[in-house]
């Protein structure tokens, strides 16, 4: 049987909410406007659709409620009895039966009124029949309002039940109130059960899980039991009795030998004997708790006798279990014996389940699949097991660098330092400790090491000073021609000025943090002009005309201007016509030649292929432009600025989603 999940049951609305939900669905998901001048067939289909749609919604929601609630005969007897204890299962069946009856009534109402609307002779008649059909459906739903409210309460209580699997390995903790059951539960599992120093702190079943021998066991903490008849027990006690009667589990009966729980050992033994019938054929362990305050040896003879009687009963139900495993001592305060109690219960439960499987009929089918080969002895000589030395050496764990560090010390001077060269694979083992030479420009660094390096440095310095002196003497020669003394002075001044300009430029660039240099056309201080260059060259005694002409040829051409003579002649009235025409002709030729020489470049067509663009020809470029425009089309339709535009506009503008709608469906927009 699969564990039933009661938490998946949907919320059950009350009668008024049920009607509101269905009528709202009918209003929103069907047509809302019909015209008086439409054909009678269209009017009939409009109102028949309203009635059928309402009936289908009622039917769907009622069927979901009926199907999601469990059938008490189809679930495990533990849940059947537990739900019957928590609430009367007869009321549960009656409530579900009333929902089923209401569903059938609504279906019958819809069938009858659809037949009447089918023969309606006017808009008014069809509308009245539709209103009557929906009204009767709502009346039926209001009649089952108390049943819906009752089922909602049942659903809430069922959703709070722990997810207990009745077929898995289970340990059940029971006993009188306030004997340490919840404390033991918190010690062996990760459950957080409330523990208080008064009785009936635990009012329902609590579930936890623990592991033993790589297997998962569920541990159930039950409320306390009192010594009274079954008919007199309340709902809290009946939860414990239901779990004891219906779950195949190992039972831990807790016994407070100190009596601080409010019940002496005689009363606790009486409770044990009252539930003895529910403990048959189940592993049972008597747990003496609070032994840190009162050892078992210090108990009176009467109490010891009662404990021995309980031990004998446990031996009978445990079917030949060990005496030491049936009666255990424990203290949840000091945690002494807690894990031994858990292990004993798990082991007893495991042995019982294995024994039950061995007695089943399936074991023969499984045993037939196994074959155990038993070797025959060839002689009477005894041969002891022997392991080769090589195998023993292989089993030894190889020491790592971390192990060597731990053995030889990890801190301080002169301790072990891991060698990165010990695992090098070389032709000669002695090469591992050689110093690897450093290479610079294809040469070994050791080649540059010299003992007389300081003497050589002095020689190089003196040689360099001699070379500089020779260059200064012969540095004023240009293209093999010797310069005069005046020309040498001028050349030295130019070189000095050039060096100062370079130095200023580098300083300015470093202070400006490598910003781009300002072009000359944006030079507001007018430091670099042709006039200044002419003045400086003239001051040096040089002819600046060639430098100025070269600078003018590289500068940008001026805009075309009118000829002053032509302007003056055009204003004079006394000049002859022939002379005027000649001057006009001459002016046109001059302006034409100037315009041709300084005309603007023609605009380049978009399909022209430039070198470096990566296109083979103009047709390929046109095709690429078309593909690019097509890829932007979707973005442009969505009114996006670019691919990274994530602005979400108003998806429901008021002028499109307010007021009544015309014919058609909702998704037509």
């Amino acid at each position: 049987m699969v564990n039933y999940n009661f938490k998946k049951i949907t919320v059950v609305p009350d009668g008024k909410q049920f009607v509101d939900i269905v009528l709202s669905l009918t209003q929103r998901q069907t047509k809302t406007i019909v015209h008086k001048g439409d054909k009678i067939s269209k009017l009939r289909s409009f109102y028949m659709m309203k009635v059928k749609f309402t009936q289908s919604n009622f039917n769907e929601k009622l069927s979901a409620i009926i199907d999601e609630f469990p059938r008490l005969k189809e679930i495990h007897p533990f849940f059947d009895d537990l739900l019957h204890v928590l609430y009367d299962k007869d009321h549960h069946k009656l409530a579900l039966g009333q929902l089923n009856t209401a569903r059938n009534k609504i279906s019958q109402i819809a069938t009858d009124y659809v037949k009447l609307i089918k023969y309606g002779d006017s808009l008014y008649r069809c509308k009245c029949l539709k209103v009557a059909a929906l009204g009767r459906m709502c009346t039926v739903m209001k009649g089952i309002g108390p049943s819906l409210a009752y089922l909602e309460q049942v659903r809430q209580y069922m959703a709070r039940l722990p997810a207990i699997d009745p077929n898995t390995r289970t340990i059940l903790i029971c006993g009188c109130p306030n004997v340490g059951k919840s404390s033991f539960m918190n010690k062996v599992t990760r459950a957080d059960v409330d523990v208080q120093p008064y009785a009936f702190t635990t009012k329902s079943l609590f579930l936890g899980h623990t592991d033993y021998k790589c297997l998962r066991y569920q541990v159930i903490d039950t409320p306390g039991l009192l010594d009274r008849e079954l008919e007199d027990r309340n709902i809290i006690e009946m939860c414990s009795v239901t779990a004891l009667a219906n779950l195949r589990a190992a039972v831990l009966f807790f016994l407070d030998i100190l009596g601080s729980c409010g019940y002496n050992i005689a009363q606790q033994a009486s409770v044990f004997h009252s539930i003895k019938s529910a403990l048959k054929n189940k592993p049972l362990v008597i747990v003496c708790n609070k032994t840190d305050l009162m050892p078992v040896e210090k108990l009176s003879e009467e109490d010891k006798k009662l404990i021995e009687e309980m031990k004998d009963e446990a031996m009978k139900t445990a079917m030949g279990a060990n005496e030491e495993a049936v009666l255990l001592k424990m203290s949840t305060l000091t945690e002494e014996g807690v894990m031994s109690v858990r292990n004993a219960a798990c082991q007893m439960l495991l042995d019982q389940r294995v024994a039950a499987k061995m007695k089943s009929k399936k074991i023969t089918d499984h045993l037939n699949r196994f074959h155990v080969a038993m070797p025959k002895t060839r002689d009477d000589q005894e041969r002891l097991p022997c392991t080769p030395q090589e195998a023993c050496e292989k089993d030894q764990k190889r020491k790592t660098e971390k192990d060597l560090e731990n053995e030889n010390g990890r801190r301080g001077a002169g301790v072990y330092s891991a060698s990165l060269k010990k695992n090098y694979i070389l032709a000669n083992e002695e090469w591992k400790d050689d110093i690897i030479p450093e290479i610079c420009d294809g040469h070994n660094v050791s080649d540059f090491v010299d003992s007389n390096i300081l003497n050589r440095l002095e020689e190089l310095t003196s040689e360099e000073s001699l070379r500089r002196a020779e260059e200064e003497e012969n540095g004023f020669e240009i293209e093999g021609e010797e310069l005069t003394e005046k020309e040498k002075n001028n050349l030295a001044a130019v070189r000095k000025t050039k060096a100062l300009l370079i130095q200023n430029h580098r300083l300015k660039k470093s202070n400006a943090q490598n910003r781009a240099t300002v072009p000359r056309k944006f030079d507001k201080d007018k430091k670099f002009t042709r006039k200044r260059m002419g003045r400086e060259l003239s001051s040096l005694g040089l002819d600046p005309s060639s430098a100025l002409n070269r600078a003018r040829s590289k500068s940008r051409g001026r805009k075309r201007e009118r000829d002053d003579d032509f302007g003056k002649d055009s204003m004079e009235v006394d000049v002859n016509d022939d002379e005027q025409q000649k001057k006009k002709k001459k002016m046109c030729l001059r302006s034409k030649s100037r315009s041709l020489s300084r005309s603007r470049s023609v605009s380049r067509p978009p399909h022209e292929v430039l070198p470096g663009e990566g296109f083979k020809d103009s047709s390929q470029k046109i095709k690429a432009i078309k593909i690019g425009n097509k890829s932007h089309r979707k973005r442009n339709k969505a009114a996006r600025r670019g691919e990274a535009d994530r602005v979400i506009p108003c998806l429901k503008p008021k002028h499109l989603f307010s007021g009544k709608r015309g014919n058609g469906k909702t998704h037509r927009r």
Side-chain angles (χ1 to χ4, degrees):
M1 178 261 175
V2 180
N3 189 16
Y4 197 90
N5 190 2
F6 300 114
K7 295 179 176 60
K8 287 186 177 180
I9 303 175
T10 56
V11 178
V12 180
D14 58 12
K16 189 176 182 304
Q17 291 178 351
F18 214 115
V19 171
D20 293 341
I21 291 169
V22 174
L23 294 184
S24 177
L25 282 174
T26 305
Q27 180 71 9
R28 286 188 287 109
Q29 297 186 6
T30 58
K31 295 180 182 180
T32 56
I33 294 178
V34 68
H35 299 287
K36 190 175 182 180
D38 292 339
K39 293 182 180 180
I40 189 64
S41 59
K42 187 175 181 179
L43 299 175
R44 291 169 181 168
S45 62
F46 174 81
Y47 287 108
M48 282 193 294
M49 180 189 64
K50 290 276 188 182
V51 175
K52 289 181 180 178
F53 190 83
T54 306
Q55 181 265 334
S56 64
N57 281 333
F58 276 121
N59 194 356
E60 179 183 353
K61 295 190 176 299
L62 289 172
S63 300
I65 294 172
I66 294 171
D67 295 337
E68 287 181 355
F69 271 88
R71 303 289 190 277
L72 297 182
K73 292 182 179 180
E74 297 176 1
I75 60 176
H76 195 273
F78 166 68
F79 289 112
D80 185 10
D81 293 345
L82 184 61
L83 296 178
H84 181 61
V85 167
L86 299 176
Y87 59 87
D88 193 356
K89 61 182 179 181
D90 294 334
H91 291 176
H92 174 263
K93 292 179 181 178
L94 287 174
L96 293 178
Q98 288 181 359
L99 263 64
N100 190 24
T101 304
R103 181 178 60 179
N104 297 333
K105 283 184 178 181
I106 290 173
S107 299
Q108 188 62 37
I109 290 169
T111 304
D112 295 342
Y113 276 89
V114 164
K115 288 180 181 179
L116 295 175
I117 295 172
K118 190 175 181 180
Y119 297 102
D121 54 355
S122 64
L123 173 63
Y124 178 74
R125 185 68 57 84
C126 294
K127 185 175 182 180
C128 290
L129 291 172
K130 186 266 295 185
V131 172
L134 268 59
R136 289 190 61 185
M137 293 179 189
C138 296
T139 303
V140 172
M141 289 304 302
K142 288 179 182 178
I144 61 171
S147 299
L148 293 172
Y150 172 76
L151 289 175
E152 173 59 19
Q153 293 181 359
V154 171
R155 184 201 66 82
Q156 293 177 3
Y157 209 105
M158 292 169 64
R160 291 193 291 267
L161 291 177
I164 298 173
D165 186 2
N167 296 313
T168 191
R169 295 166 290 273
T170 307
I171 299 175
L172 201 62
I173 306 172
C174 65
C176 291
N178 202 20
V179 294
K181 301 186 296 298
S182 300
S183 301
F184 175 78
M185 177 85 167
N186 293 337
K187 297 293 182 182
V188 300
T189 67
R190 296 179 64 184
D192 187 13
V193 186
D194 189 18
V195 178
Q196 297 294 339
Y198 49 83
F200 285 106
T201 307
T202 304
K203 297 181 181 180
S204 62
L205 301 178
F206 283 89
L207 179 66
H209 293 86
T210 186
D211 292 333
Y212 176 72
K213 289 187 177 181
C214 301
L215 295 175
R216 179 61 57 88
Y217 291 78
Q218 67 177 3
V219 184
I220 300 176
D221 183 18
T222 61
L225 295 171
L226 299 179
D227 184 17
R228 50 187 174 184
E229 296 296 330
L230 185 65
E231 295 80 7
D232 299 334
R233 297 186 187 274
N234 55 19
I235 296 177
I236 297 176
E237 295 178 88
M238 287 304 296
C239 291
S240 300
V241 175
T242 303
L244 288 169
N246 293 285
L247 292 177
R248 294 187 303 168
V251 181
L252 297 178
F253 187 84
F254 273 64
L255 197 65
D256 184 4
I257 60 176
L258 184 63
S260 60
C261 62
Y263 306 96
N264 54 27
I265 295 179
Q267 292 173 335
Q268 298 179 52
S270 178
V271 172
F272 173 79
H273 291 294
S274 65
I275 60 171
K276 185 171 57 177
S277 60
L279 303 177
K280 288 184 179 179
N281 299 326
K282 293 179 183 177
L284 178 61
V285 179
I286 307 298
V287 181
C288 297
N289 193 16
K290 304 180 183 180
T291 54
D292 56 328
L293 300 176
M294 174 66 73
V296 179
E297 292 78 11
K298 294 184 179 180
L299 294 175
S300 62
E301 294 296 331
E302 296 180 358
D303 294 341
K304 289 183 180 179
K305 186 177 180 181
L306 292 174
I307 293 175
E308 287 295 328
E309 291 178 358
M310 296 169 62
K311 180 180 176 181
D312 295 338
E313 292 292 338
M315 289 290 295
K316 294 178 183 178
T317 57
M319 295 177 294
N322 190 7
E323 293 185 4
E324 297 179 356
V326 172
L327 181 63
L328 297 175
K329 304 171 186 178
M330 185 191 70
S331 173
T332 54
L333 181 63
T334 60
E335 298 187 9
E336 181 183 356
V338 171
M339 300 311 294
S340 61
V341 171
R342 193 276 312 261
N343 295 342
C346 293
Q347 188 62 42
M348 291 175 66
L349 182 63
L350 194 62
D351 295 340
Q352 190 208 30
R353 290 171 69 91
V354 171
K357 289 181 179 179
M358 293 295 292
K359 293 179 182 179
S360 64
K361 295 181 180 179
K362 292 183 180 180
I363 191 64
T364 56
D365 298 335
H366 292 298
L367 289 177
N368 291 334
R369 302 177 188 176
F370 296 102
H371 173 68
V372 181
M374 299 298 293
K376 296 181 180 180
T377 57
R378 58 185 178 182
D379 51 21
D380 297 337
Q381 187 176 358
E382 184 180 0
R383 293 176 176 83
L384 298 175
C386 179
T387 306
Q389 186 67 24
E390 297 178 356
C392 295
E393 293 177 356
K394 288 182 179 180
D395 293 340
Q396 292 179 358
K397 184 180 178 182
R398 184 175 63 89
K399 287 187 177 182
T400 60
E401 293 293 329
K402 189 173 183 180
D403 297 336
L404 295 174
E405 284 182 356
N406 294 332
E407 291 177 2
N408 301 319
R410 301 178 63 182
R411 296 181 182 178
V415 296
Y416 178 80
S417 177
S419 176
L420 302 178
K421 303 176 183 178
K422 66 189 324 182
N423 295 322
Y424 283 0
I425 302 174
L426 300 175
N428 192 349
E429 294 292 331
E430 297 178 355
W431 295 350
K432 291 183 178 180
D433 297 329
D434 291 349
I435 298 174
I436 299 176
E438 298 181 8
I439 307 299
C440 178
D441 298 333
H443 298 280
N444 199 337
V445 176
S446 60
D447 297 341
F448 298 95
V449 178
D450 193 356
S451 58
N452 299 326
I453 191 168
L454 296 176
N455 298 332
R456 294 196 178 189
L457 179 62
E458 292 178 359
E459 294 177 1
L460 289 174
T461 305
S462 59
E463 186 180 351
E464 185 70 20
S465 60
L466 292 175
R467 287 184 179 180
R468 285 183 179 178
E470 292 178 359
E471 287 179 358
E472 289 178 359
E473 293 177 359
N474 303 326
F476 295 102
E477 294 182 2
I478 299 177
E479 296 180 358
E481 298 179 0
E482 293 186 2
L483 302 178
T484 61
E485 191 67 27
K486 186 177 181 180
E487 290 176 345
K488 288 181 180 179
N489 294 333
N490 293 336
L491 183 58
V494 168
R495 288 181 176 176
K496 185 177 180 181
T497 306
K498 182 180 178 182
L500 288 174
L501 288 174
I502 293 172
Q503 187 177 1
N504 292 333
H505 173 70
R506 288 177 179 172
L507 182 62
K508 183 179 178 182
K509 190 174 181 180
S510 63
N511 292 336
Q513 297 179 356
N514 286 334
R515 285 197 289 267
T517 56
V518 181
R520 287 187 179 181
K521 63 180 180 178
F522 297 115
D523 185 19
K524 296 181 180 180
D525 299 335
K526 302 297 180 184
K527 293 180 179 180
F528 306 101
T529 59
R530 288 188 296 108
K531 292 181 181 180
R532 181 185 174 188
M533 184 175 65
R535 288 196 305 270
E536 290 182 356
L537 291 175
S538 300
S539 65
L540 294 174
L542 302 176
D543 186 13
S545 59
S546 60
L548 292 175
N549 292 333
R550 186 177 64 175
R552 185 181 294 112
S553 65
K554 288 187 177 182
S555 64
R556 187 176 179 184
R558 295 175 298 173
K559 293 184 178 180
R560 186 172 59 198
E561 299 175 355
R562 287 184 180 270
D563 193 355
D564 296 338
D565 298 336
F566 175 73
K568 292 176 183 178
D569 294 341
S570 62
M571 297 297 292
E572 293 177 357
V573 185
D574 300 333
V575 181
N576 296 331
D577 295 336
D578 295 337
E579 293 179 0
Q580 193 172 0
Q581 288 179 1
K582 287 179 182 179
K583 286 189 177 182
K584 281 185 178 181
K585 190 174 182 180
K586 188 177 180 181
M587 169 61 189
C588 289
L589 290 172
R590 187 185 303 164
S591 63
K592 185 175 182 181
S593 63
R594 186 179 297 170
S595 65
L596 288 174
S597 63
R598 298 180 180 179
S599 61
R600 294 177 60 190
S601 61
V602 182
S603 298
R604 179 172 57 84
H607 56 79
E608 182 180 347
V609 180
L610 296 177
E613 286 187 336
F615 296 109
K616 184 171 62 176
D617 50 10
S618 59
S619 62
Q620 190 180 22
K621 186 174 182 181
I622 292 171
K623 189 175 180 181
I625 291 171
K626 287 183 179 179
I627 293 173
N629 294 337
K630 188 176 180 180
S631 65
H632 296 164
R633 198 174 299 164
K634 185 177 180 181
R635 186 191 71 194
N636 296 338
K637 280 187 177 181
R640 302 291 186 190
R641 294 190 181 93
E643 293 180 356
D645 188 2
R646 295 291 185 270
V647 176
I648 300 176
C650 181
L651 300 180
K652 284 193 174 185
K654 189 174 181 181
H655 68 282
L656 289 179
F657 289 88
S658 61
K660 289 287 187 178
R661 306 174 197 165
N663 292 333
K665 296 186 178 178
T666 306
H667 60 76
R668 62 189 167 83
R669 292 177 179 157

